[in-house]
């Protein structure tokens, strides 16, 4: 593990392999360890740089303060890439990290060569979804319910609410011990996420993405994530979409070999 000082914060990261730089941004309740299943194949051809966002493991955060937000994390990723010794980079984000990567590409395309979005998290506004209604999203309500339980000290109870809502009833109980511990290590970040103020995606946002973009999804993912993925892909010019059969939201853990084949093919293309 290494750290890079960005925006007054020591941002932790893992770096493996040599070659063109590929910066990886994790999603909610995760950290740089979430990419472990794909580090081997990807690092054979790339310098893989997996970051832990502000307040995630290895930090032990109490969930207090106003320094956890989408905007802060976007600023941090931009500053992190600016401090690397080589640019442009390829940028890959999963879930909430996909939202962050999207916003980095929207603001600073000069820092990027290619963009990979694995089921980016977020909502669609009325310019992309006619059924959009202002106000808290269903996901925001689930996060708030989970965070309330976590803030009272019931870590596993709060995580069960979150995981069962995301992956279906019984998802938390079915998780093996190692991924359960990773989620516990980052549980208090859900408290911060209740104050995320994440803006919905708009048609104007999608039209601003000029970086060559790959969208990856799990073919069996439920809920709003597939709609968001396919809608964004339809409006980002020239975007490519790949769905991995038999997988859900953590598709790169469930089918790491197929995931890496898709990513490496995209990165190697013109």
């Amino acid at each position: 593990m290494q750290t890079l000082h960005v925006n007054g914060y020591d941002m932790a990261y893992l770096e493996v392999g040599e070659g063109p730089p590929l910066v990886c941004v994790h999603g909610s309740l995760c950290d740089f360890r979430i990419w472990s299943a794909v580090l081997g194949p990807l690092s054979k051809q790339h310098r893989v740089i997996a970051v832990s966002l502000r307040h995630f493991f290895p930090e032990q955060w109490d969930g207090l303060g106003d320094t956890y937000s989408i905007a802060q994390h976007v600023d941090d990723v931009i500053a992190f890439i600016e401090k690397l010794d080589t640019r442009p980079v390829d940028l890959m984000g999963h879930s909430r990290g996909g939202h962050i990567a999207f916003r980095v590409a929207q603001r600073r395309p000069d820092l990027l060569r290619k963009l990979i979005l694995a089921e980016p998290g977020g909502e669609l506004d009325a310019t992309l979804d006619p059924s959009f209604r202002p106000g808290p999203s269903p996901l925001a309500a689930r996060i708030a319910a989970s965070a309330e339980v976590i803030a009272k000290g019931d870590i596993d109870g709060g995580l069960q609410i979150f995981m069962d809502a995301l992956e279906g009833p019984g998802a938390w109980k079915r998780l093996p011990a190692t991924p359960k511990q990773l989620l516990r290590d980052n549980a208090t970040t859900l408290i911060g996420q209740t104050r995320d103020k994440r803006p919905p995606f708009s048609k104007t946002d999608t039209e601003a993405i000029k970086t060559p973009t790959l969208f990856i999804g799990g073919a069996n993912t439920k809920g709003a994530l597939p709609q968001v993925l396919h809608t964004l892909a339809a409006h980002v010019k020239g975007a490519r979409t790949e769905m991995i059969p038999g997988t859900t939201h953590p598709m790169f853990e469930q089918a790491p070999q197929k995931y890496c084949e898709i990513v490496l093919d995209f990165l190697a293309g013109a």
Side-chain angles (χ1 to χ4, degrees):
M1 190 189 78
Q2 304 177 63
T3 61
L4 198 59
H5 196 69
V6 297
N7 297 331
Y9 182 80
D10 289 327
M11 197 163 169
Y13 67 99
L14 296 178
E15 182 174 325
V16 187
E18 296 180 356
L22 171 62
V23 176
C24 306
V25 185
H26 62 82
S28 298
L29 288 170
C30 300
D31 55 69
F32 52 45
R33 297 173 294 174
I34 198 66
W35 301 104
S36 59
V38 295
L39 286 180
L42 295 179
S43 64
K44 291 178 181 177
Q45 299 181 34
H46 292 268
R47 175 189 175 194
V48 181
I49 303 167
V51 302
S52 271
L53 297 168
R54 183 182 297 253
H55 296 320
F56 289 83
F57 177 89
E59 182 184 351
Q60 296 180 337
W61 186 48
D62 59 9
L64 302 178
D66 59 358
T67 53
Y68 182 108
S69 67
I70 283 283
Q72 180 68 65
H73 288 149
V74 171
D75 287 346
D76 288 348
V77 173
I78 288 173
F80 183 92
I81 295 171
E82 286 178 329
K83 283 203 169 186
L84 292 177
D85 54 9
T86 180
R87 294 187 301 274
V89 305
D90 297 317
L91 181 62
M92 178 165 68
H94 173 245
S95 197
R96 185 176 180 278
H99 189 114
I100 292 164
F102 181 101
R103 299 299 180 187
V104 172
Q106 185 180 354
R107 278 179 48 188
R108 293 295 305 275
D110 58 300
L111 297 177
L112 307 183
R113 189 183 75 96
K114 291 190 175 183
L115 177 66
I116 301 164
L117 303 176
E119 291 191 355
E123 294 75 45
L124 306 170
D125 79 357
T127 64
L128 291 174
D129 179 9
S131 65
F132 171 79
R133 296 291 180 270
S137 69
L139 178 60
R142 293 198 296 267
I143 290 172
S146 304
E148 183 178 2
V149 175
I150 289 168
K152 293 177 180 177
D154 184 2
I155 301 298
D156 281 20
L159 292 173
Q160 180 173 346
I161 293 171
F162 182 84
M163 291 304 301
D164 288 5
L166 188 67
E167 291 282 319
W172 171 252
K173 289 185 178 180
R174 290 192 300 269
L175 269 184
T178 298
K180 268 186 177 176
Q181 189 56 49
L182 185 146
L183 296 174
R184 291 185 186 111
D185 290 340
N186 294 292
T188 56
T189 60
L190 272 189
I191 300 171
Q193 199 162 325
T194 61
R195 306 185 294 271
D196 225 359
K197 298 179 181 176
R198 181 168 65 185
F201 295 113
S202 70
K203 187 176 180 183
T204 301
D205 294 337
T206 61
E207 292 171 347
I209 303 298
K210 306 302 182 185
T211 305
T213 303
L214 167 67
F215 288 88
I216 307 180
N220 296 344
T221 302
K222 307 297 184 185
L225 286 165
Q227 180 195 2
V228 171
L229 182 151
H230 291 295
T231 303
L232 294 181
H235 289 85
V236 172
K237 187 176 181 180
R240 171 178 159 187
T241 303
E242 297 280 354
M243 306 301 290
I244 301 180
T247 65
T248 59
H249 192 47
M251 75 294 293
F252 55 87
E253 293 183 295
Q254 296 170 350
Q257 185 172 352
K258 182 62 177 177
Y259 184 90
C260 290
E261 288 174 3
I262 292 169
V263 167
L264 291 172
D265 179 70
F266 173 70
L267 294 179

